[in-house]
């Protein structure tokens, strides 16, 4: 059970059992049995979360724990001509990307973790993301979930905006089979994403940041529920695929210049940037060394194979840990040592910026926003001390991949020092 009991970054503890239901009907039965036995239930999707909410954390609990792993229930149903989807608990962001691509649509969350198999539900339950300035954190008001009522009984709630029947068994069976006749789907039953974020994120003079954890504005039933409810299905918006986005790489030794750029981009630009990611030189260096294997794996492997590769790595980790005589994180050590045999993986201009500047900002903008961004940065850096360059597609992809690798690399470098991660890397919307 090791890989279910141990968090990707944080959290580890004992569990009585791990249950892996294959359908939401089975998930319901497993829950009924758990509630009858009065055990603690921890629902887990792909177990990549950052909050240690997906695993037990220590062994200081008053009752036994059962982990319900949802990763076998991977169904995605496309509705409303592709403008929306209904996902079951194990559906991954990567899987959703593949379903939507032929329809010219994309999912809300394009997060780094999607490359290693993070689920749609993990994002909604965590209100994760927010790095996408136009879309905000993962959020929906439309879901099927259950809660334990005052009488200690499970109570199923259908707020999916789709008529699915009257009993839990009917509702869950129809979800398993994908039986949603058009006549049963209510078109505007609620919000399937945070549609106000695009305005809210521009309010740069308010006293609270646009994005922070457990923001009450984004806590709604399943959204931000962080494992306190059990969720069976969510209904989400999809978005047209962003074509020809541009990345501008910015470097400076004066943080106030980044503040100027952030304020201008959020407040003055006609076209809001897609995302902006900060990287300090220390994080750059840590990622260059300790995240190179992650970078190379993601860059060269077909992304659809990545979740399976990371699952395989987890299995190896469990196996080597059981042997007991090898150093901890043995596979990480081997992969990192092997990555040292490959030539430098970063574009020369990025490395030049690393030598010149301590602080870096990656600004991704939509094609229509590129001219105003270019004009602004040229004007700004004619007087300011930093510099910028417009990335080629390859440089842009590599810059963002490097930024993604920084998060895991910092954890590998510093053990589980949350502070290292938080201070060295962050994004424009929640600086
Ligand atoms: C505020 C915040 C911002 C983040 N931003 C980013 C980002 O910008 N980029 C990035 O790459 N990553 C980001 N992450 C991390 C990312 O959100 C997680 O790694 C990912 O969403 C977790 O998905 P998972 O499938 O591994 O879920 P898990 O780690 O398995 O679960 C996550 C949480 O959801 C609950 N849960 C899962 N399924 C269910 C269910 N069926 N019913 C009830 N509860 C359930 C779990 O109990 C747990 O509390 C962020 C995380 C947080 C907290």
């Amino acid at each position: 059970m090791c890989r279910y009991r141990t968090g990707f970054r944080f959290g580890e503890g004992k569990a009585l059992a791990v249950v892996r239901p294959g359908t939401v009907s089975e998930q319901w039965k497993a829950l009924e049995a758990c509630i009858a036995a009065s055990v603690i239930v921890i629902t887990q999707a792909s177990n990549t979360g950052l909050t240690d909410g997906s695993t037990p954390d220590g062994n200081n609990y008053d009752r036994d724990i059962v982990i319900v792993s949802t990763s076998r229930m991977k169904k995605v149903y496309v509705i409303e001509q592709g403008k929306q989807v209904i996902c079951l608990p194990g559906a991954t962001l990567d899987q959703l990307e593949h379903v939507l691509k032929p329809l010219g649509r994309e999912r809300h969350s394009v997060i780094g973790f999607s490359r290693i198999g993070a689920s749609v539900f993990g994002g909604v339950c965590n209100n994760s993301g927010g790095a996408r300035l136009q879309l905000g954190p993962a959020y929906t008001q439309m879901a099927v979930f259950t809660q334990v009522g005052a009488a200690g009984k499970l109570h199923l709630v259908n707020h999916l905006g789709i008529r699915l029947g009257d009993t839990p068994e009917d509702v869950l069976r129809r979800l398993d089979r994908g039986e949603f006749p058009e006549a049963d789907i209510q078109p505007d039953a609620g919000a399937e994403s945070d549609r106000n974020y695009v305005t809210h994120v521009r309010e740069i003079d308010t006293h609270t940041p646009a994005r922070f954890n457990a923001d009450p504005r984004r806590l709604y039933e399943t959204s931000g529920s962080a494992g306190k409810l059990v969720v069976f299905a969510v209904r989400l918006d999809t978005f047209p695929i962003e074509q020809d986005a541009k990345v501008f790489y910015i470097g400076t030794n004066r943080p106030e210049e980044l503040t100027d750029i952030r304020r201008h981009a959020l407040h003055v630009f006609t076209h809001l940037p897609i995302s902006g990611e900060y990287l300090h030189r220390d994080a750059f260096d840590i990622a260059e060394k300790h995240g190179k294997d992650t970078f190379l794996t993601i860059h060269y492997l077909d992304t659809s194979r990545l979740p399976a590769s990371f699952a395989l790595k987890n299995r190896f980790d469990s196996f080597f840990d059981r042997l007991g005589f090898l150093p901890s994180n043995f596979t990480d050590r081997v992969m990192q040592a092997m990555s040292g045999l490959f030539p430098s993986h970063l574009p020369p201009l990025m490395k030049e910026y690393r030598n010149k500047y301590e602080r870096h900002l990656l600004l991704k903008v939509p094609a229509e926003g590129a001219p105003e961004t270019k004009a602004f940065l040229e004007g700004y850096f004619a007087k300011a001390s930093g510099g910028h360059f417009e990335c080629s597609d390859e440089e842009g992809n590599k810059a963002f991949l490097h930024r993604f690798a920084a998060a895991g690399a910092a954890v590998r470098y510093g053990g589980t020092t949350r502070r290292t991660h938080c201070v060295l890397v962050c994004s424009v919307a929640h600086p």
Side-chain angles (χ1 to χ4, degrees):
M1 299 194 296
C2 183
R3 71 193 172 105
Y4 301 96
R5 292 192 299 98
T6 311
F8 179 71
R9 293 189 191 202
F10 315 111
E12 181 172 11
K14 280 190 194 150
L16 184 67
V18 176
V19 188
R20 301 193 63 222
T23 61
V24 288
S25 305
E26 285 179 14
Q27 188 186 0
W28 172 261
K29 285 185 188 147
L31 279 174
E32 282 186 319
C34 288
I35 301 302
S38 215
V39 293
I40 296 170
V41 175
I42 295 181
T43 312
Q44 180 182 102
S46 306
N47 190 14
T48 69
L50 301 178
T51 57
D52 47 20
S54 352
T55 61
D57 189 16
N59 293 314
N60 198 13
Y61 293 88
D62 60 346
R63 289 171 290 149
D64 285 329
I65 294 175
V66 170
I67 298 170
V68 177
S69 163
T70 61
S71 58
R72 287 177 64 211
M73 297 174 278
K74 287 198 186 304
K75 289 190 176 159
V76 173
Y77 305 111
V78 175
I79 60 167
E80 306 284 74
Q81 299 83 43
K83 295 201 178 93
Q84 292 187 344
V85 284
I86 291 168
C87 298
L88 296 199
T92 62
L93 290 166
D94 175 67
Q95 179 192 354
L96 190 52
E97 179 181 332
H98 285 92
V99 170
L100 294 176
K101 210 171 190 174
L103 308 173
R105 312 280 301 174
E106 66 176 357
R107 61 195 192 237
H108 161 278
S109 300
V110 182
I111 60 169
F113 276 108
S114 56
R115 302 185 191 236
I116 59 169
S119 68
V120 173
F121 277 49
V124 172
C125 294
N126 270 345
N127 275 153
S128 80
R132 294 198 84 190
L133 298 174
Q134 301 164 357
L135 303 182
Y139 176 82
T140 183
Q141 297 178 345
M142 317 292 286
V144 175
F145 62 92
T146 184
Q147 54 196 157
V148 181
K153 287 248 176 291
L154 283 174
H155 167 58
L156 190 82
V157 181
N158 174 11
H159 285 172
L160 207 58
I162 302 179
R163 273 188 297 275
L164 290 169
D166 297 325
T167 65
E169 288 72 18
D170 284 348
V171 172
L172 297 169
R173 193 175 48 244
R174 284 186 59 180
L175 283 175
D176 279 326
R177 293 182 183 164
E179 287 172 8
F180 318 118
E182 225 164 275
D184 289 345
I185 302 178
Q186 244 179 295
D188 290 310
E192 293 86 359
S193 60
D194 184 358
R195 293 171 191 166
N196 294 327
Y197 192 76
V198 66
T199 330
H200 176 64
V201 75
R202 284 188 181 270
E203 293 164 1
I204 53 171
D205 289 319
T206 54
H207 294 296
T208 48
R211 172 78 185 94
F212 57 93
N213 286 357
D215 179 351
R217 279 168 300 200
R218 307 211 167 74
L219 299 178
Y220 187 92
E221 298 182 343
T222 54
S223 298
S225 60
K228 295 183 194 74
L229 302 171
V230 175
V231 191
F232 296 98
V234 292
R235 177 170 165 185
L236 298 169
D237 283 335
T238 68
F239 304 88
I241 293 178
E242 194 73 59
Q243 304 283 359
D244 303 321
K246 283 274 165 231
V247 175
F248 290 86
Y249 200 101
I250 295 161
T252 178
N253 291 315
R254 302 185 57 196
E256 59 274 22
E257 292 182 357
L258 296 184
T259 305
D260 289 345
I261 294 169
R262 177 169 63 81
R263 290 180 68 84
H264 187 92
L266 292 177
H267 203 50
V268 181
F269 279 179
T270 311
H271 304 282
L272 200 60
I274 297 167
S275 60
E277 297 282 350
Y278 171 70
L279 198 64
H280 185 272
R281 183 190 280 154
D282 291 349
F284 188 109
D285 292 349
I286 290 169
E288 189 175 10
K289 182 172 175 195
H290 299 272
K292 186 175 177 184
D293 53 304
T294 308
F295 181 106
L296 293 174
T297 313
I298 295 177
H299 188 62
Y300 289 109
L301 265 191
D302 174 4
T303 51
S304 62
R305 297 216 188 122
L306 277 175
S309 318
F310 276 87
L312 188 67
K313 175 184 169 297
N314 284 343
R315 281 173 188 267
F316 276 125
D317 281 340
S318 309
F319 175 71
F320 291 132
D321 279 355
R322 275 204 303 274
L323 291 182
F325 58 86
L326 291 168
S328 60
N329 304 326
F330 182 66
T331 39
D332 284 324
R333 286 167 195 268
V334 171
M335 283 171 68
Q336 187 171 318
M338 281 172 57
S339 72
L341 304 174
F342 286 79
S344 173
H345 57 297
L346 296 177
L349 256 178
M350 269 175 72
K351 289 175 52 161
E352 196 182 308
Y353 266 54
R354 179 259 167 239
N355 292 338
K356 266 166 87 176
Y357 302 115
E358 198 182 355
R359 298 163 191 278
H360 301 205
L361 176 70
L362 287 53
L363 199 60
K364 186 186 254 186
V365 300
E368 59 277 22
E372 66 175 334
T373 311
K374 193 173 171 173
F376 166 68
L377 291 176
E378 276 169 6
Y380 185 77
F381 284 119
K383 294 188 197 121
S385 67
H388 79 285
F389 66 91
E390 187 177 330
C391 295
S392 64
D393 287 349
E394 187 180 352
E395 284 167 338
N397 286 339
K398 286 189 169 174
F400 270 86
L401 194 47
H402 188 54
R403 161 64 181 84
F404 168 65
V411 174
R412 190 188 276 179
Y413 170 73
T416 50
T417 323
R418 288 162 201 239
R419 203 175 142 68
T420 317
H421 172 221
C422 296
V423 172
L424 300 180
V425 292
C426 68
S427 52
V428 160
H430 36 115

